[in-house]
């Protein structure tokens, strides 16, 4: 199936996302911050990246900016998975270059559907 980088500083959320997507047959590279997500994306370009917004060091928004600025990764589909649910936050997420925006708490089934929709584009 697909190689997916998942970045979230919350271990429980990261493991939940990793479990759900791996049961769908995807290869998951799970990391704890945006800097590690960037390194994983550059080391072996994934098919999709799922980023938390609020992480220590490099935030999800900073990571998207760097992904979009890198010619080798600029078209990489990115989903933001975050507790930031205000309308301004969602707008900021899409303005930063996110392909989708999912707010926490989230349904693992909905996440799976959105991942599949992006991968099938």
């Amino acid at each position: 199936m697909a190689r997916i980088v998942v970045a979230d500083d919350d271990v429980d959320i990261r493991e939940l996302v990793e479990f759900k997507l791996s049961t769908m047959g995807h290869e998951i590279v799970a990391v704890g911050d945006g800097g590690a997500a960037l390194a994983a994306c550059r080391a072996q370009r994934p098919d999709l990246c799922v980023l938390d917004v609020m992480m220590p060091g490099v935030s999800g928004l900073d990571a998207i900016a760097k992904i979009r600025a890198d010619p080798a990764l600029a078209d990489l589909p990115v989903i933001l998975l975050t507790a930031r649910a205000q309308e301004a936050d969602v707008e900021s997420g899409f303005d930063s270059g996110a392909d989708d925006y999912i707010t926490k708490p989230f349904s693992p089934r909905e996440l799976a559907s959105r991942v599949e929709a992006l991968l099938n584009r």
Side-chain angles (χ1 to χ4, degrees):
M1 298 280 324
R3 171 190 293 282
I4 302 172
V5 170
V6 174
D8 199 307
D9 60 322
D10 183 317
V11 173
D12 293 333
I13 300 251
R14 190 170 65 235
E15 289 179 351
L16 172 63
V17 172
E18 181 178 13
F19 174 77
K20 180 62 181 176
L21 299 180
S22 65
T23 62
M24 298 167 58
H26 299 301
E27 178 186 342
I28 309 303
V29 177
V31 297
D33 61 63
L38 282 168
C41 288
R42 288 177 176 148
Q44 191 165 20
R45 182 192 154 95
D47 299 296
L48 177 74
C49 188
V50 178
L51 298 171
D52 182 17
V53 170
M54 297 179 291
M55 294 184 284
V58 179
S59 75
L61 295 178
D62 292 338
I64 285 183
K66 292 177 186 209
I67 286 169
R68 296 294 176 240
D70 184 333
L73 300 173
D75 63 344
L76 175 67
V78 177
I79 296 175
L80 288 178
L81 180 63
T82 179
R84 300 188 64 130
Q86 298 287 336
E87 187 176 331
D89 296 321
V90 176
E91 188 176 314
S92 174
F94 281 115
D95 287 347
S96 72
D99 295 282
D100 203 350
Y101 195 100
I102 302 171
T103 56
K104 297 175 188 173
F106 65 97
S107 156
R109 182 176 288 158
E110 180 184 2
L111 172 66
S113 295
R114 292 190 186 201
V115 163
E116 289 305 310
L118 267 178
L119 290 173
N120 290 327
R121 259 205 253 165

